[in-house]
Structure formats: structure tokens, C-alpha cells
Coordinates of all heavy atoms in Angstrom, one line a residue:
M828 N 0.8 -1.2 0.0 CA 0.1 0.0 0.0 C 0.9 1.3 0.0 O 1.8 1.3 0.8 CB -0.9 0.0 1.2 CG -1.6 1.3 1.5 SD -2.3 1.5 3.1 CE -4.0 1.6 2.6
R829 N 0.7 2.2 -0.9 CA 1.4 3.4 -1.0 C 0.8 4.5 0.0 O -0.4 4.5 0.2 CB 1.3 3.9 -2.4 CG 2.1 5.3 -2.5 CD 2.2 5.8 -3.9 NE 2.9 7.0 -3.7 CZ 3.0 7.9 -4.8 NH1 2.6 7.6 -6.0 NH2 3.7 9.0 -4.7
I830 N 1.6 5.2 0.6 CA 1.3 6.3 1.6 C 1.6 7.6 0.8 O 2.8 7.8 0.6 CB 2.0 6.1 3.0 CG1 1.8 4.8 3.6 CG2 1.7 7.2 3.9 CD1 0.4 4.5 4.0
Y831 N 0.6 8.4 0.6 CA 0.8 9.7 0.0 C 1.1 10.7 1.1 O 0.8 10.6 2.3 CB -0.4 10.1 -0.7 CG -0.7 9.1 -1.9 CD1 -1.4 8.0 -1.6 CD2 -0.2 9.4 -3.2 CE1 -1.7 7.1 -2.8 CE2 -0.4 8.6 -4.2 CZ -1.2 7.4 -4.0 OH -1.5 6.5 -5.0
N832 N 1.9 11.8 0.7 CA 2.2 12.8 1.8 C 2.3 14.2 1.1 O 2.3 14.3 -0.2 CB 3.5 12.3 2.5 CG 4.7 12.5 1.6 OD1 5.1 13.5 1.1 ND2 5.3 11.3 1.1
R833 N 2.3 15.2 1.9 CA 2.5 16.6 1.5 C 3.8 17.1 2.1 O 4.0 18.3 2.2 CB 1.3 17.4 2.2 CG 0.1 17.1 1.5 CD -1.1 18.1 2.2 NE -2.3 18.0 1.4 CZ -3.5 18.0 1.9 NH1 -3.6 18.3 3.3 NH2 -4.5 18.0 1.2
L834 N 4.8 16.3 2.2 CA 6.0 16.7 2.7 C 6.7 17.9 1.9 O 7.1 18.9 2.4 CB 7.0 15.6 2.8 CG 6.7 14.5 3.8 CD1 7.8 13.4 3.9 CD2 6.5 15.1 5.2
A835 N 6.8 17.7 0.6 CA 7.3 18.8 -0.3 C 6.7 20.1 -0.2 O 7.4 21.1 0.0 CB 7.4 18.3 -1.7
M836 N 5.4 20.1 -0.2 CA 4.7 21.4 0.0 C 4.9 22.0 1.5 O 5.1 23.2 1.5 CB 3.1 21.1 -0.3 CG 2.3 22.3 -0.1 SD 0.5 22.0 0.0 CE 0.3 21.3 1.6
L837 N 4.9 21.1 2.4 CA 5.0 21.7 3.8 C 6.3 22.2 4.0 O 6.6 23.2 4.6 CB 4.7 20.6 4.8 CG 3.2 20.2 4.9 CD1 3.0 18.9 5.6 CD2 2.4 21.2 5.5
R838 N 7.4 21.4 3.4 CA 8.8 22.0 3.4 C 8.9 23.3 2.8 O 9.5 24.3 3.4 CB 9.7 21.1 2.8 CG 10.2 19.8 3.6 CD 11.3 19.0 3.0 NE 11.3 18.8 1.6 CZ 11.9 19.6 0.7 NH1 12.6 20.6 0.9 NH2 11.8 19.2 -0.7
A839 N 8.3 23.4 1.6 CA 8.4 24.6 0.8 C 7.8 25.8 1.5 O 8.3 26.9 1.5 CB 7.8 24.5 -0.6
E840 N 6.6 25.5 2.1 CA 6.0 26.7 2.8 C 6.9 27.3 4.0 O 6.6 28.4 4.4 CB 4.7 26.1 3.5 CG 3.5 26.0 2.6 CD 2.3 25.4 3.3 OE1 2.4 25.0 4.4 OE2 1.3 25.3 2.6
R841 N 7.7 26.3 4.6 CA 8.5 26.8 5.7 C 10.0 27.2 5.3 O 10.8 27.6 6.0 CB 8.6 25.7 6.8 CG 7.2 25.6 7.4 CD 7.1 24.3 8.1 NE 5.8 24.1 8.8 CZ 4.6 23.9 8.3 NH1 4.5 23.7 7.0 NH2 3.4 23.8 9.0
G842 N 10.2 26.9 4.1 CA 11.5 27.2 3.6 C 12.7 26.2 3.9 O 13.8 26.6 4.1
W843 N 12.2 25.1 4.3 CA 13.0 23.9 4.7 C 13.7 23.2 3.6 O 12.9 22.8 2.6 CB 12.4 23.0 5.8 CG 11.9 23.6 6.9 CD1 12.1 24.9 7.4 CD2 11.1 23.0 7.9 NE1 11.5 25.1 8.6 CE2 10.9 23.9 9.0 CE3 10.7 21.7 8.1 CZ2 10.2 23.6 10.1 CZ3 9.8 21.4 9.2 CH2 9.6 22.4 10.2
S844 N 14.9 22.8 3.7 CA 15.4 21.8 2.6 C 15.2 20.4 3.2 O 14.7 20.2 4.3 CB 17.0 22.1 2.6 OG 17.6 21.7 3.7
R845 N 15.5 19.5 2.4 CA 15.4 18.0 2.8 C 16.3 17.8 3.8 O 16.0 17.0 4.9 CB 15.6 17.1 1.6 CG 14.5 17.1 0.6 CD 14.8 16.1 -0.5 NE 13.7 16.1 -1.5 CZ 13.8 15.7 -2.8 NH1 15.0 15.2 -3.2 NH2 12.8 15.7 -3.5
R846 N 17.5 18.3 3.8 CA 18.4 18.2 5.0 C 17.9 18.8 6.3 O 18.1 18.1 7.3 CB 19.7 18.8 4.6 CG 20.5 18.1 3.5 CD 22.0 18.6 3.4 NE 22.6 18.0 2.2 CZ 23.3 16.9 2.2 NH1 23.5 16.3 3.4 NH2 23.9 16.4 1.2
D847 N 17.3 19.9 6.2 CA 16.6 20.5 7.4 C 15.6 19.6 8.0 O 15.6 19.2 9.2 CB 15.9 21.8 7.0 CG 16.9 22.9 6.7 OD1 18.1 22.8 7.0 OD2 16.4 23.8 5.8
L848 N 14.7 19.1 7.2 CA 13.7 18.2 7.8 C 14.3 16.9 8.2 O 14.0 16.3 9.3 CB 12.7 17.8 6.7 CG 11.5 16.8 7.2 CD1 10.7 17.5 8.3 CD2 10.5 16.7 5.9
A849 N 15.4 16.3 7.5 CA 16.0 15.1 8.0 C 16.6 15.3 9.3 O 16.7 14.4 10.2 CB 17.0 14.7 6.8
E850 N 17.3 16.4 9.5 CA 18.0 16.7 10.7 C 17.0 16.7 12.0 O 17.3 16.1 13.0 CB 18.7 18.0 10.6 CG 19.6 18.3 11.8 CD 20.4 19.6 11.6 OE1 21.0 19.8 10.7 OE2 20.3 20.4 12.6
V851 N 16.0 17.3 11.7 CA 15.0 17.5 12.8 C 14.3 16.1 13.2 O 14.0 15.8 14.3 CB 13.9 18.5 12.5 CG1 12.7 18.6 13.5 CG2 14.4 19.9 12.3
T852 N 14.0 15.3 12.1 CA 13.4 14.1 12.3 C 14.4 12.9 12.5 O 14.0 11.7 12.7 CB 12.5 13.7 11.1 OG1 13.3 13.7 9.9 CG2 11.4 14.6 10.9
K853 N 15.8 13.2 12.5 CA 16.8 12.3 12.7 C 16.8 11.0 11.7 O 16.8 10.0 12.1 CB 16.7 11.6 14.0 CG 16.9 12.8 15.2 CD 16.7 12.3 16.6 CE 17.0 13.2 17.6 NZ 16.8 14.6 17.5
V854 N 16.7 11.4 10.4 CA 16.8 10.5 9.4 C 17.8 11.0 8.3 O 18.0 12.2 8.4 CB 15.6 10.2 8.7 CG1 14.6 9.4 9.6 CG2 14.8 11.3 8.0
N855 N 18.2 10.2 7.4 CA 19.0 10.7 6.3 C 18.2 11.6 5.4 O 17.0 11.3 5.2 CB 19.6 9.4 5.6 CG 20.7 9.7 4.6 OD1 20.3 10.4 3.5 ND2 21.9 9.4 4.8
Y856 N 18.9 12.5 4.8 CA 18.2 13.5 3.9 C 17.6 12.7 2.6 O 16.5 13.0 2.1 CB 19.1 14.6 3.5 CG 20.1 14.3 2.4 CD1 19.8 14.4 1.1 CD2 21.4 13.8 2.8 CE1 20.7 14.1 0.1 CE2 22.2 13.4 1.8 CZ 22.0 13.5 0.5 OH 22.9 13.2 -0.4
Q857 N 18.3 11.6 2.2 CA 17.8 10.8 1.1 C 16.4 10.1 1.6 O 15.5 9.9 0.6 CB 18.8 9.7 0.7 CG 20.1 10.4 0.1 CD 21.1 9.4 -0.2 OE1 21.3 8.5 0.7 NE2 21.8 9.5 -1.2
T858 N 16.2 9.8 2.8 CA 14.9 9.2 3.2 C 13.8 10.2 2.9 O 12.7 9.7 2.4 CB 15.0 8.8 4.7 OG1 16.1 7.9 4.9 CG2 13.8 8.2 5.2
I859 N 14.1 11.5 3.2 CA 13.1 12.5 2.9 C 12.7 12.4 1.3 O 11.5 12.5 1.0 CB 13.4 13.8 3.3 CG1 13.7 13.9 4.9 CG2 12.4 14.9 3.1 CD1 12.6 13.4 5.8
G860 N 13.7 12.4 0.5 CA 13.4 12.3 -0.8 C 12.7 11.1 -1.3 O 11.7 11.2 -2.1
Y861 N 13.0 10.0 -0.7 CA 12.3 8.8 -1.0 C 10.8 8.9 -0.6 O 9.9 8.4 -1.3 CB 12.9 7.5 -0.3 CG 14.3 7.1 -0.8 CD1 15.4 6.7 0.0 CD2 14.5 7.1 -2.2 CE1 16.6 6.4 -0.4 CE2 15.8 6.6 -2.6 CZ 16.8 6.4 -1.8 OH 18.0 5.9 -2.3
L862 N 10.6 9.4 0.6 CA 9.3 9.7 1.1 C 8.5 10.5 0.1 O 7.3 10.3 -0.2 CB 9.2 10.3 2.5 CG 9.7 9.4 3.6 CD1 9.9 10.2 5.0 CD2 8.6 8.3 3.9
E863 N 9.0 11.6 -0.3 CA 8.3 12.7 -1.1 C 8.0 12.1 -2.4 O 6.9 12.3 -2.9 CB 9.2 14.0 -1.3 CG 9.3 14.8 0.0 CD 10.2 16.0 -0.2 OE1 10.9 16.1 -1.3 OE2 10.2 16.7 0.7
R864 N 8.8 11.1 -3.0 CA 8.6 10.5 -4.3 C 7.7 9.3 -4.1 O 7.3 8.7 -5.2 CB 9.9 10.2 -5.0 CG 10.7 11.4 -5.4 CD 11.9 11.0 -6.2 NE 12.8 10.1 -5.5 CZ 13.7 10.5 -4.7 NH1 14.0 11.7 -4.5 NH2 14.6 9.6 -4.1
G865 N 7.3 9.0 -2.9 CA 6.4 7.7 -2.7 C 7.2 6.5 -3.0 O 6.6 5.4 -3.2
E866 N 8.5 6.5 -2.8 CA 9.4 5.3 -3.0 C 9.6 4.5 -1.7 O 10.2 3.5 -1.7 CB 10.8 5.6 -3.7 CG 10.5 6.3 -5.0 CD 11.9 6.8 -5.6 OE1 13.0 6.6 -4.9 OE2 11.8 7.4 -6.7
Y867 N 9.1 5.1 -0.5 CA 9.4 4.5 0.7 C 8.2 4.9 1.7 O 7.8 6.0 1.7 CB 10.7 5.1 1.3 CG 11.0 4.6 2.8 CD1 11.4 3.4 3.1 CD2 10.9 5.6 3.7 CE1 11.7 3.0 4.4 CE2 11.1 5.2 5.0 CZ 11.5 4.0 5.3 OH 11.9 3.6 6.6
N868 N 7.6 3.9 2.3 CA 6.6 4.2 3.3 C 7.3 4.3 4.8 O 8.1 3.4 5.2 CB 5.6 3.1 3.3 CG 4.6 3.1 2.1 OD1 4.5 4.1 1.5 ND2 4.0 2.0 1.9
P869 N 6.9 5.4 5.5 CA 7.6 5.5 6.8 C 7.0 4.6 7.8 O 5.9 4.2 7.7 CB 7.3 7.1 7.0 CG 5.9 7.3 6.3 CD 6.0 6.5 5.0
S870 N 7.8 4.4 8.8 CA 7.4 3.8 10.0 C 6.3 4.6 10.7 O 6.5 5.8 10.5 CB 8.6 3.4 10.9 OG 9.1 4.5 11.5
L871 N 5.6 4.0 11.6 CA 4.6 4.9 12.4 C 5.4 5.9 13.3 O 5.0 7.0 13.4 CB 3.7 4.0 13.2 CG 2.6 4.6 13.9 CD1 1.8 5.4 13.0 CD2 1.8 3.5 14.7
E872 N 6.5 5.4 13.8 CA 7.4 6.3 14.5 C 7.8 7.5 13.8 O 7.8 8.6 14.3 CB 8.6 5.6 15.2 CG 9.5 6.5 16.0 CD 10.7 5.8 16.4 OE1 10.9 4.5 16.1 OE2 11.7 6.4 17.0
L873 N 8.3 7.3 12.5 CA 8.7 8.4 11.7 C 7.6 9.3 11.4 O 7.7 10.5 11.3 CB 9.4 7.9 10.4 CG 10.0 9.0 9.6 CD1 10.9 10.0 10.3 CD2 10.7 8.3 8.4
V874 N 6.3 8.8 11.1 CA 5.2 9.6 10.8 C 5.0 10.5 11.9 O 4.7 11.7 11.8 CB 4.0 8.6 10.6 CG1 2.6 9.4 10.6 CG2 4.0 7.9 9.2
F875 N 4.9 10.0 13.1 CA 4.6 10.9 14.3 C 5.8 11.9 14.6 O 5.4 13.1 14.8 CB 4.6 10.1 15.6 CG 3.4 9.3 15.7 CD1 3.3 8.0 16.2 CD2 2.1 9.7 15.2 CE1 2.2 7.2 16.3 CE2 1.0 9.0 15.3 CZ 0.9 7.7 15.9
R876 N 7.0 11.6 14.3 CA 8.1 12.5 14.3 C 7.9 13.8 13.3 O 8.1 14.9 13.6 CB 9.4 11.9 14.2 CG 10.0 11.2 15.4 CD 11.4 10.9 15.5 NE 12.0 10.4 14.2 CZ 12.4 9.2 14.0 NH1 12.3 8.3 14.9 NH2 13.0 9.0 12.8
I877 N 7.6 13.4 12.1 CA 7.4 14.3 11.0 C 6.3 15.3 11.4 O 6.4 16.5 11.2 CB 7.2 13.6 9.6 CG1 8.5 12.9 9.2 CG2 6.7 14.6 8.6 CD1 8.4 12.0 8.0
C878 N 5.1 14.6 11.8 CA 3.9 15.5 12.0 C 4.1 16.4 13.2 O 3.6 17.5 13.2 CB 2.7 14.5 12.3 SG 2.2 13.6 10.8
A879 N 5.0 15.9 14.2 CA 5.2 16.8 15.3 C 6.0 18.0 14.8 O 5.7 19.1 15.4 CB 6.1 16.0 16.4
C880 N 7.0 17.8 14.0 CA 7.8 19.0 13.6 C 7.1 20.0 12.7 O 7.4 21.2 12.8 CB 9.1 18.5 12.9 SG 9.0 17.9 11.2
F881 N 6.0 19.5 12.1 CA 5.1 20.4 11.3 C 4.0 20.9 12.2 O 3.2 21.8 11.8 CB 4.5 19.8 10.1 CG 5.6 19.6 9.0 CD1 5.8 18.3 8.5 CD2 6.3 20.6 8.5 CE1 6.8 18.1 7.5 CE2 7.2 20.5 7.4 CZ 7.4 19.2 6.9
D882 N 3.9 20.3 13.5 CA 2.8 20.7 14.3 C 1.4 20.5 13.6 O 0.4 21.3 13.7 CB 2.9 22.1 14.9 CG 1.9 22.3 16.1 OD1 1.7 21.3 16.9 OD2 1.6 23.5 16.3
L883 N 1.2 19.3 13.0 CA 0.0 19.0 12.1 C -0.4 17.6 12.5 O 0.4 16.7 12.8 CB 0.2 19.1 10.7 CG 0.4 20.4 10.1 CD1 0.9 20.3 8.7 CD2 -0.8 21.2 10.3
P884 N -1.7 17.3 12.5 CA -2.1 15.9 12.6 C -1.8 15.0 11.6 O -1.5 15.5 10.4 CB -3.7 16.0 12.7 CG -4.1 17.3 12.0 CD -2.8 18.1 12.2
V885 N -1.7 13.8 11.8 CA -1.1 12.7 10.7 C -1.9 12.9 9.5 O -1.4 12.9 8.4 CB -1.3 11.3 11.3 CG1 -1.1 10.3 10.2 CG2 -0.3 11.1 12.4
E886 N -3.3 13.0 9.5 CA -4.1 13.0 8.3 C -3.9 14.3 7.5 O -4.3 14.3 6.3 CB -5.6 12.9 8.8 CG -6.2 14.0 9.6 CD -6.1 13.7 11.1 OE1 -5.4 12.7 11.4 OE2 -6.8 14.4 11.9
A887 N -3.3 15.3 8.1 CA -3.0 16.5 7.3 C -1.7 16.4 6.4 O -1.4 17.1 5.5 CB -2.9 17.7 8.1
V888 N -0.9 15.3 6.9 CA 0.4 15.1 6.2 C 0.5 13.9 5.4 O 1.0 13.8 4.3 CB 1.6 15.2 7.3 CG1 2.8 15.0 6.6 CG2 1.4 16.4 8.1
F889 N -0.2 12.9 5.9 CA -0.1 11.5 5.2 C -1.6 11.0 4.9 O -2.5 11.3 5.7 CB 0.6 10.5 6.1 CG 2.1 10.8 6.4 CD1 2.4 11.5 7.5 CD2 3.0 10.4 5.5 CE1 3.8 11.8 7.7 CE2 4.3 10.7 5.7 CZ 4.8 11.4 6.8
S890 N -1.6 10.2 3.9 CA -3.0 9.7 3.5 C -2.7 8.4 2.7 O -1.8 8.3 2.0 CB -3.7 10.6 2.7 OG -5.0 10.0 2.2
P891 N -3.8 7.4 2.8 CA -3.6 6.3 1.9 C -4.2 6.6 0.4 O -4.1 5.7 -0.4 CB -4.6 5.3 2.6 CG -5.5 6.0 3.4 CD -4.7 7.3 3.7
H892 N -4.7 7.7 0.3 CA -5.2 8.2 -0.9 C -4.5 9.5 -1.5 O -4.2 10.3 -0.6 CB -6.8 8.5 -0.9 CG -7.6 7.4 -0.3 ND1 -7.8 6.2 -0.9 CD2 -8.1 7.2 1.0 CE1 -8.6 5.5 -0.2 NE2 -8.6 6.1 1.0
P893 N -4.4 9.7 -2.7 CA -3.8 10.8 -3.2 C -4.5 12.2 -2.6 O -5.7 12.2 -2.5 CB -3.9 10.8 -4.7 CG -4.1 9.4 -5.1 CD -4.9 8.8 -3.8
F894 N -3.7 13.1 -2.3 CA -4.3 14.4 -1.8 C -4.8 15.2 -3.1 O -4.2 15.2 -4.2 CB -3.3 15.3 -1.1 CG -2.9 14.8 0.2 CD1 -1.8 14.1 0.5 CD2 -3.8 15.1 1.3 CE1 -1.5 13.6 1.7 CE2 -3.4 14.6 2.6 CZ -2.3 14.0 2.8
P895 N -5.9 16.0 -3.0 CA -6.3 16.8 -4.0 C -5.3 17.8 -4.3 O -4.7 18.4 -3.4 CB -7.6 17.3 -3.6 CG -7.7 17.2 -2.1 CD -6.8 16.2 -1.8
R896 N -5.2 18.3 -5.6 CA -4.2 19.4 -5.9 C -4.8 20.7 -5.4 O -6.0 20.9 -5.3 CB -4.1 19.5 -7.4 CG -3.4 18.2 -8.1 CD -3.3 18.4 -9.5 NE -2.3 19.5 -9.9 CZ -1.1 19.4 -9.9 NH1 -0.4 18.4 -9.5 NH2 -0.4 20.6 -10.2
L897 N -3.9 21.5 -4.9 CA -4.3 22.8 -4.3 C -4.0 23.8 -5.3 O -3.1 24.6 -5.4 CB -3.3 23.1 -3.1 CG -3.5 22.2 -1.9 CD1 -2.5 22.5 -0.8 CD2 -4.9 22.3 -1.4
T898 N -5.0 23.8 -6.3 CA -5.0 24.8 -7.4 C -5.8 26.0 -7.0 O -6.5 26.0 -5.9 CB -5.6 24.3 -8.7 OG1 -7.0 23.9 -8.5 CG2 -5.0 22.9 -9.1
G899 N -5.7 27.1 -7.8 CA -6.6 28.2 -7.5 C -8.0 27.9 -7.4 O -8.8 28.5 -6.5
E900 N -8.5 27.1 -8.2 CA -9.9 26.6 -8.3 C -10.2 25.9 -6.9 O -11.4 26.1 -6.4 CB -10.3 25.7 -9.4 CG -10.2 26.4 -10.6 CD -10.4 25.3 -11.9 OE1 -10.9 24.3 -11.6 OE2 -10.0 25.7 -13.1
A901 N -9.4 25.0 -6.4 CA -9.7 24.4 -5.2 C -9.7 25.3 -4.0 O -10.3 24.9 -3.0 CB -8.7 23.3 -5.0
L902 N -9.1 26.4 -4.0 CA -9.0 27.3 -2.9 C -10.2 28.3 -2.9 O -10.4 29.1 -1.9 CB -7.8 28.0 -2.9 CG -6.4 27.1 -2.8 CD1 -5.1 27.9 -2.8 CD2 -6.5 26.3 -1.4
V903 N -10.9 28.4 -4.0 CA -11.9 29.4 -4.1 C -13.2 29.0 -3.3 O -13.5 27.8 -3.4 CB -12.4 29.6 -5.6 CG1 -13.5 30.5 -5.7 CG2 -11.2 30.2 -6.4
T904 N -13.7 29.8 -2.5 CA -14.9 29.5 -1.7 C -16.2 30.0 -2.6 O -16.0 30.5 -3.6 CB -14.9 30.2 -0.3 OG1 -14.7 31.6 -0.7 CG2 -13.7 29.8 0.5
D905 N -17.2 29.8 -2.0 CA -18.5 30.1 -2.7 C -18.4 31.6 -3.0 O -18.1 32.4 -2.2 CB -19.7 29.9 -1.8 CG -19.9 28.4 -1.6 OD1 -19.4 27.6 -2.3 OD2 -20.7 28.0 -0.7
P906 N -18.9 31.9 -4.3 CA -18.8 33.3 -4.7 C -19.8 34.0 -4.0 O -20.9 33.6 -3.5 CB -19.2 33.3 -6.2 CG -19.8 31.9 -6.4 CD -19.3 31.1 -5.4
P907 N -19.7 35.4 -3.8 CA -20.8 36.2 -3.1 C -22.0 36.1 -3.9 O -22.1 36.0 -5.1 CB -20.3 37.6 -3.2 CG -19.0 37.5 -3.9 CD -18.7 36.2 -4.3
S908 N -23.2 36.2 -3.1 CA -24.5 36.1 -3.7 C -24.9 37.2 -4.5 O -25.7 37.1 -5.4 CB -25.5 35.8 -2.6 OG -25.5 36.9 -1.6
Q909 N -24.3 38.4 -4.2 CA -24.6 39.7 -4.9 C -23.3 40.3 -5.3 O -22.4 40.2 -4.5 CB -25.5 40.6 -4.1 CG -26.9 40.1 -3.7 CD -27.5 41.1 -2.8 OE1 -27.1 42.1 -2.5 NE2 -28.7 40.7 -2.4
P910 N -23.3 40.9 -6.5 CA -22.0 41.6 -6.8 C -21.8 42.7 -5.8 O -22.7 43.3 -5.2 CB -22.2 42.1 -8.2 CG -23.7 41.9 -8.5 CD -24.3 41.1 -7.4
A911 N -20.5 43.0 -5.6 CA -20.1 44.1 -4.6 C -20.5 45.4 -5.2 O -20.4 45.7 -6.4 CB -18.7 44.1 -4.4
E912 N -20.7 46.3 -4.3 CA -21.1 47.7 -4.7 C -19.9 48.4 -5.3 O -18.8 48.2 -4.7 CB -21.6 48.5 -3.6 CG -23.0 48.0 -3.0 CD -24.2 48.2 -3.9 OE1 -24.2 49.4 -4.6 OE2 -25.0 47.4 -4.2
P913 N -20.0 49.2 -6.3 CA -18.9 49.9 -6.8 C -18.4 50.9 -5.7 O -19.3 51.5 -4.9 CB -19.3 50.6 -8.1 CG -20.8 50.5 -8.1 CD -21.2 49.5 -7.1
G914 N -17.2 51.3 -5.7 CA -16.7 52.3 -4.8 C -15.4 51.8 -4.1 O -14.8 50.8 -4.4
P915 N -14.9 52.5 -3.2 CA -13.6 52.2 -2.6 C -13.8 50.9 -1.7 O -14.8 50.7 -1.2 CB -13.3 53.4 -1.7 CG -14.6 54.0 -1.5 CD -15.4 53.7 -2.6
P916 N -12.7 50.2 -1.6 CA -12.7 49.0 -0.8 C -13.1 49.4 0.7 O -12.8 50.6 1.1 CB -11.5 48.3 -0.9 CG -10.5 49.3 -1.6 CD -11.4 50.3 -2.1
A917 N -13.6 48.4 1.5 CA -14.1 48.7 2.8 C -12.9 49.1 3.7 O -13.1 49.8 4.7 CB -14.7 47.5 3.5
S918 N -11.7 48.9 3.3 CA -10.5 49.1 4.1 C -10.0 50.5 4.0 O -9.2 51.0 4.7 CB -9.3 48.2 4.0 OG -8.9 48.3 2.5
V919 N -10.6 51.3 3.1 CA -10.3 52.7 2.8 C -10.9 53.5 4.0 O -12.1 53.4 4.3 CB -10.7 53.1 1.4 CG1 -10.4 54.6 1.2 CG2 -10.0 52.2 0.4
T920 N -10.0 54.4 4.5 CA -10.6 55.3 5.5 C -11.4 56.4 4.9 O -11.2 56.8 3.9 CB -9.3 55.8 6.4 OG1 -8.7 56.7 5.5 CG2 -8.5 54.8 6.9
S921 N -12.1 57.2 5.8 CA -12.9 58.3 5.4 C -12.0 59.4 4.9 O -12.4 60.1 4.0 CB -13.9 58.7 6.5 OG -13.1 59.1 7.6
E922 N -10.9 59.5 5.5 CA -9.9 60.5 5.0 C -9.4 60.3 3.7 O -9.3 61.1 2.8 CB -8.7 60.6 6.0 CG -7.7 61.6 5.7 CD -6.6 61.8 6.7 OE1 -6.8 62.2 7.8 OE2 -5.6 61.2 6.4
E923 N -9.2 59.0 3.4 CA -8.7 58.6 2.0 C -9.9 58.8 0.9 O -9.6 59.3 -0.1 CB -8.3 57.1 1.9 CG -6.9 56.9 2.6 CD -6.6 55.5 2.7 OE1 -7.5 54.6 3.0 OE2 -5.5 55.1 2.6
K924 N -11.2 58.5 1.4 CA -12.4 58.8 0.5 C -12.4 60.2 0.1 O -12.7 60.6 -0.9 CB -13.6 58.3 1.2 CG -13.7 56.8 1.4 CD -14.9 56.5 2.1 CE -15.0 55.0 2.4 NZ -16.2 54.6 3.4
S925 N -12.1 61.1 1.1 CA -12.4 62.6 0.9 C -11.3 63.0 -0.2 O -11.5 64.0 -0.9 CB -12.3 63.3 2.2 OG -11.1 63.3 2.7
L926 N -10.1 62.4 -0.2 CA -9.1 62.8 -1.2 C -9.5 62.4 -2.5 O -9.0 63.1 -3.5 CB -7.7 62.1 -0.9 CG -7.0 62.5 0.5 CD1 -5.9 61.6 0.8 CD2 -6.7 64.0 0.5
H927 N -10.2 61.3 -2.8 CA -10.5 60.8 -4.1 C -11.9 61.4 -4.6 O -12.3 61.0 -5.7 CB -10.5 59.3 -4.1 CG -9.1 58.8 -3.8 ND1 -8.1 58.9 -4.6 CD2 -8.6 58.1 -2.7 CE1 -7.0 58.4 -4.2 NE2 -7.3 57.9 -3.0
G928 N -12.6 62.1 -3.7 CA -14.0 62.6 -4.2 C -15.0 61.6 -3.9 O -14.8 60.5 -3.5
P929 N -16.2 62.0 -4.2 CA -17.4 61.1 -4.0 C -17.3 59.9 -4.9 O -16.9 59.8 -5.9 CB -18.6 62.0 -4.3 CG -18.1 63.3 -5.0 CD -16.6 63.3 -4.8

């Protein structure tokens, strides 16, 4: 059974190299590469060590099924029910509004 993971994405988000993750989890950096490519299934002990260093639950990092791709479409929530009113964004202060006119 193949175990899928999000190691490469999680490392990239944190700016970690394979060597960085390997050092923290006490494995060889090549093991991290094997895990990321799906060429090696980790022991339960290693799964827990990896999840602890990311401070994430196991199911957020590992799965018996492929993870869905995180594309722009997957991240879009339900569109607003009504179009936004034209005008300055809500974050614009009243002072800024007066500078640009009505």
C-alpha cells in the first residue's frame, strides 16, 4: 500500500530543505526524498516525528489516498450572492475617501 504525503509542500511553505527536515526528524536526507517521491513508506514512529515537527495531525500530512491538488480553483470559496457595490474597498478610511472625491 502506498502512503501519500504533503512533505514537499510543507517544506516549501517553511523554506526547509530536505536536509533541514532530515536533521529534525533524525533520518538521512535521502529518506526524505524517498518519502516525497512515494518510494518509501515511513514507519509509524517516523510519521509521528514528522507530524510533530510540522505541528500537524497525521491526516494533514499523510494519506492512503492521493491528496487533491491545491490549485486556485480548489481554494476558491462560494462566490458572493450579490455583486459588490462599486466604490472604494471597505479598508479605505474616510480621510482617503475625501481625497478621491465622491
